[in-house]
Amino acid sequence: MTFSLFRVLWTLLHVFLTAVHFIESVWNSLRRKLDLVSKNYVDDELGFISRHVKLFNKIPSHLVVIVGNETISYRDLANVAVWSIAAGISFVSFYDHHGILKKNEAELLKALSEKTKAQFENIVWGKRTKTHGLINKNGTKNGNGVVSSHKLHLNIFSLSDGKGALVKLTKSLCQSVIAGQMTVTDINQDLIDEKLRAEMDIPDPELALYCGDVCSTYGFLPWQIHVTEFLQLQSHHNIQIKDFLLLLKKYGKCVQRHGK
Amino acid sequence: MSWIRASTLNWIQFLCVKIIKSGRVPKHIAFIMDGNRRYAQKNNVRKFEGHSQGFDKLAETLQWCLDLGIPEVTVYAFSIENFKRSQEEVDALMELSQQKFERLLSEKMFCCFARDKLMEHGVCIRVIGNLSLLPQNIRKLIAQAMILTKDNKKTFLNVAFAYTAREEMAQAVRTAVSGVERDALQLSDVTQQLLSNCLYTSTSPDPELLIRTSGEVRLSDYLLWQVSCSCIYFADVLWPEFSIWHLLAAIIKYQRSYAQLVPVQQADEMANGCLNERISLFHTCLAASRLASLEELNHAVA
C-alpha cells in the first residue's frame, strides 16, 4: 500500500515538473517572438558582435556546439559559424552524435553560402569534413575592400570520432610497436595527445554549448574535453545574437585553476 | 570521524527519499567534490579544515546513497593536477588521507562489537589512479584497505586518487598495445570494449549520473571516457555545503533525462565490438596482475 503511495507522489512530482517546464518554454517562446517583432534589427550583426566581445575577459579559441537530440537547423548553425568569425573565435565544431550532420554536410555548405559571401571565403573546412580541400582557399579578398584576416576552421564530428579515434590510434600504435618503430614504454599521455592533435588538427575545445535540457557530452571527443566549459544553449533553433553573446560573456567569467 | 555516518535525515527528508526512490535511481553516481578551499575561505578556517569537512560530507553522502539504494559511488578525491598545489597543502591532504585510511583499518582490527559501518554495509573500496605517484606509506594503506574490503559485494566506493582520465586512458592504450605485442591479443581484438576493460574502472559499470559541486561547469579530466552517455549535473553549492536536497534534485534531473540518453548508450554499446575467449582471458589476467600488485604493496615494508 505504502509503496504505491510513494509511486503516486513520485508521478505527481514529475507531472508537476513537466507542467512547469511546459509553461516556461511557452513563456520563453512568446518572449522571443515579441523580441523579434519589437526590437530593431541589428543592422551590422558582425560589427555589433565584434564590439561586444571586446568587453569580455576572454574568448574561446575553439567553440563546439553539441546538437544533442535536436533536429538540425543548418541555417542556425551557419549563423553560429559566421558570428564566431566576428567574435574572433578561430575554431568552431558542430557535434551530432547521430552522424546526420556529417551525412548532410552539403546542406551546411549551402546555408553558409546563403548567409554570407564575404565570410564564406574565410572558412577553412577541417580534416574531418568532406569539403576539406575542395573549396578554393583564395585568401581574404572580397568586393567591399573590407579586409578580414581572420579565418574560421570548421569541423563536423560524430560519435565515432571520440572513442573510435582512440581505438584506431591504439591499433596504429600496435603496428608501430610490432614493426619495431617504437616501444610500449614510449606510449604516454603526451604521445597520444600529439597523435590525436595531428589527426584532428584542432586545439582542445574550450567551450561546449549543449542544446536541450539534458547535460551530457553525448560521447563527444572524450580525450579532448578535459577542461572544456559546458554551458547550456536552450535550443540552437532560432538562436539570436544576444543568446550567443550571453554565453560568450558567461564563458568569459569562468576561471580555471588547473588543479592548483 | 568514520567513513559512513549514521543517517542524518529528518523525517521530511526521509519521506522525500522514499518518493524519489520509487522512480528509477542511478546504479552508479560519480562526484567531483569541489569547493573545500572556497568553503574554508568563506568561513575563515584553514584549508585543512575545509578538506576535513569535505571528508565528513563524503561520509554523509555515502549514507544518503545507501538510503537511496545506489550501490556504487565514485569520488574525485585527488587529481594528478593537484600535485601542482603548494607542498604544504599536498602534505596536508596526504596527512588527511593517511588518517582516514588508518582509521578504516584500525576499526577492523580493534572493534569487534562496534564494527565499522563499512564492513557492516559490505562496502568494497577501490582506489583508482596512478598509485605510483603517491608516498609509499599511503600506497600501503590503500592496498590494505582494498584487500580488506575486496570481497564485499553489496556496495562499491571508488576513490579517484592521483587520478586523471587522460593518464587512465593512456595507461589503457599502453596495456592494450602491450597485450598485442606479446601475442596475448590480436590486432582485431583491439576494440572499444577492450579499452574500457583496460581502464582502472574496468570492474564498474559507467556512472549514470555525474555531479560536480561548486558551480564550475567542466569535467577537469575526470572519467572522460566513462561519462560519454551520462547525465551531468552541475550544482552551484560548495561541497561541504552539499545537502540531501541537492542530491535529490540531481537524481530528479537524471530521472527526467534518462529517456533521452538511452539511445546514446545504445549507440555507444553498438560501437563496443565483440568479446572473444582471448579478450576474456586477457581481462582475467589483467585483474589478477592488478591484485598481485596490491598484495605486493601490502606486504612491502613501509
Side-chain angles (χ1 to χ4, degrees):
Chain A
M1 191 61 192
T2 37
F3 169 81
S4 330
L5 174 64
F6 288 125
R7 181 75 187 184
V8 165
L9 289 170
W10 177 83
T11 311
L12 285 174
L13 169 69
H14 280 276
V15 165
F16 171 72
L17 289 171
T18 306
V20 166
H21 185 255
F22 177 72
I23 294 171
E24 259 178 13
S25 14
V26 166
W27 172 246
N28 281 332
S29 164
L30 271 171
R31 236 182 28 186
R32 281 177 165 271
K33 291 205 168 77
L34 279 169
D35 259 348
L36 283 170
V37 164
S38 67
K39 78 161 200 212
N40 301 319
Y41 273 93
V42 176
D43 283 333
D44 174 22
E45 272 190 352
L46 306 186
F48 184 79
I49 292 173
S50 317
R51 282 193 304 277
H52 272 81
V53 298
K54 286 195 172 73
L55 306 169
F56 302 156
N57 291 335
K58 56 179 181 170
I59 289 293
S61 58
H62 183 180
L63 164 75
V64 60
V65 177
I66 298 177
V67 169
N69 286 316
E70 292 201 315
T71 49
I72 296 168
S73 164
Y74 298 92
R75 184 183 58 98
D76 291 304
L77 292 181
N79 280 340
V80 171
V82 172
W83 296 341
S84 298
I85 301 178
I89 297 171
S90 311
F91 289 81
V92 165
S93 302
F94 297 127
Y95 177 69
D96 141 51
H97 63 278
H98 298 293
I100 297 173
L101 189 51
K102 263 198 180 173
K103 283 199 198 106
N104 297 324
E105 202 181 294
E107 296 275 339
L108 182 61
L109 195 64
K110 185 163 153 241
L112 274 165
S113 58
E114 276 168 11
K115 168 82 184 168
T116 173
K117 180 83 176 73
Q119 299 297 338
F120 189 76
E121 288 169 1
N122 288 330
I123 296 174
V124 176
W125 291 74
K127 269 185 180 178
R128 289 304 226 227
T129 59
K130 293 191 190 99
T131 318
H132 175 67
L134 294 179
I135 289 205
N136 220 345
K137 293 190 281 265
N138 268 340
T140 58
K141 63 166 172 50
N142 71 44
N144 297 357
V146 172
V147 174
S148 164
S149 57
H150 184 73
K151 293 239 177 276
L152 180 79
H153 297 257
L154 190 64
N155 275 284
I156 297 174
F157 293 112
S158 67
L159 191 61
S160 57
D161 292 314
K163 291 180 179 178
L166 268 161
V167 174
K168 216 168 125 202
L169 175 62
T170 308
K171 286 186 160 156
S172 137
L173 290 173
C174 286
Q175 287 166 325
S176 301
V177 166
I178 291 171
Q181 291 160 357
M182 60 187 290
T183 64
V184 175
T185 44
D186 292 331
I187 300 173
N188 58 29
Q189 198 175 310
D190 290 332
L191 177 81
I192 295 176
D193 199 42
E194 186 192 304
K195 297 247 175 220
L196 283 175
R197 219 171 268 277
E199 174 71 24
M200 303 282 185
D201 208 18
I202 49 162
D204 293 339
E206 289 171 329
L207 174 60
L209 305 179
Y210 63 91
C211 299
D213 294 316
V214 176
C215 181
S216 175
T217 66
Y218 293 91
F220 178 65
L221 302 188
W223 182 271
Q224 289 84 342
I225 54 167
H226 57 124
V227 289
T228 309
E229 306 281 352
F230 284 83
L231 294 178
Q232 182 184 22
L233 173 59
Q234 214 41 71
S235 170
H236 73 287
H237 295 182
N238 296 315
I239 178 176
Q240 302 298 306
I241 292 182
K242 80 166 188 193
D243 302 323
F244 181 70
L245 286 173
L246 213 63
L247 288 166
L248 287 185
K249 187 175 178 185
K250 244 188 186 166
Y251 170 78
K253 296 196 179 133
C254 293
V255 175
Q256 298 219 353
R257 293 174 295 280
H258 297 285
K260 292 213 195 101
Chain B
M1 168 53 70
S2 186
W3 282 62
I4 300 184
R5 293 171 58 164
S7 187
T8 55
L9 302 174
N10 62 38
W11 68 269
I12 299 178
Q13 293 166 335
F14 186 70
L15 275 178
C16 290
V17 163
K18 295 284 271 182
I19 295 172
I20 301 301
K21 208 172 155 175
S22 56
R24 185 186 190 93
V25 288
K27 298 191 191 62
H28 180 182
I29 299 187
F31 288 93
I32 300 180
M33 308 182 291
D34 196 17
N36 291 339
R37 292 182 300 172
R38 273 169 280 173
Y39 173 82
Q41 199 176 33
K42 187 172 151 188
N43 294 287
N44 281 318
V45 295
R46 282 164 46 237
K47 279 185 203 161
F48 184 86
E49 178 61 25
H51 289 303
S52 187
Q53 297 220 21
F55 181 85
D56 294 348
K57 183 55 63 177
L58 168 61
E60 195 178 11
T61 305
L62 291 178
Q63 183 57 53
W64 295 334
C65 289
L66 285 173
D67 289 337
L68 280 157
I70 296 163
E72 188 153 7
V73 168
T74 302
V75 296
Y76 204 3
F78 192 85
S79 163
I80 294 176
E81 299 287 309
N82 294 150
F83 279 114
K84 291 182 201 163
R85 294 184 182 179
S86 69
Q87 194 57 49
E88 190 197 333
E89 188 174 349
V90 173
D91 289 343
L93 285 164
M94 293 297 146
E95 164 79 34
L96 181 67
S97 313
Q98 183 172 342
Q99 273 177 23
K100 298 306 175 189
F101 278 109
E102 276 172 350
R103 169 89 200 234
L104 168 75
L105 295 165
S106 71
E107 283 184 16
K108 162 71 181 170
M109 275 152 58
F110 294 116
C111 293
C112 305
F113 300 106
R115 293 194 61 165
D116 185 36
K117 284 210 172 216
L118 226 51
M119 298 305 283
E120 193 184 306
H121 287 279
V123 182
C124 172
I125 291 194
R126 296 188 283 229
V127 177
I128 58 173
N130 186 352
L131 303 185
S132 69
L133 297 172
L134 296 168
Q136 172 71 1
N137 62 329
I138 304 266
R139 279 157 62 195
K140 189 172 161 98
L141 286 169
I142 285 173
Q144 285 175 330
M146 285 176 74
I147 288 169
L148 172 70
T149 59
K150 75 173 167 43
D151 296 318
N152 290 341
K153 299 250 181 293
K154 274 171 61 187
T155 46
F156 300 89
L157 169 62
N158 308 310
V159 182
F161 210 77
Y163 173 91
T164 58
R166 307 213 302 176
E167 192 279 329
E168 181 186 28
M169 288 189 272
Q171 171 281 138
V173 169
R174 218 169 28 240
T175 305
V177 173
S178 144
V180 172
E181 191 200 21
R182 55 191 162 81
D183 272 333
L185 293 168
Q186 312 237 325
L187 198 60
S188 55
D189 295 333
V190 177
T191 58
Q192 193 170 289
Q193 181 72 70
L194 176 80
L195 284 185
S196 294
N197 289 353
C198 290
L199 297 170
Y200 298 136
T201 55
S202 58
T203 48
S204 299
D206 289 340
E208 290 167 286
L209 172 61
L210 167 66
I211 299 175
R212 178 179 187 143
T213 55
S214 89
E216 305 290 359
V217 292
R218 51 186 178 267
L219 301 179
S220 296
D221 222 339
Y222 183 58
L223 301 178
L224 301 175
W225 177 282
Q226 297 87 331
V227 300
S228 287
C229 312
S230 310
C231 172
I232 300 174
Y233 185 83
F234 295 116
D236 196 6
V237 61
L238 301 173
W239 174 250
E241 292 168 343
F242 187 70
S243 75
I244 182 66
W245 301 117
H246 294 108
L247 180 57
L248 291 177
I251 295 175
I252 290 172
K253 183 74 193 183
Y254 161 79
Q255 290 173 341
R256 298 179 69 73
S257 306
Y258 180 73
Q260 292 200 57
L261 289 171
V262 166
V264 190
Q265 284 160 10
Q266 288 168 344
D268 187 51
E269 259 161 52
M270 271 180 51
N272 263 341
C274 302
L275 212 56
N276 63 38
E277 247 186 68
R278 220 172 16 244
I279 299 178
S280 304
L281 180 62
F282 181 77
H283 289 145
T284 311
C285 293
L286 183 61
S289 83
R290 283 176 176 170
L291 182 58
S293 308
L294 283 180
E295 300 274 4
E296 209 185 294
L297 266 174
N298 193 18
H299 293 119
V301 176

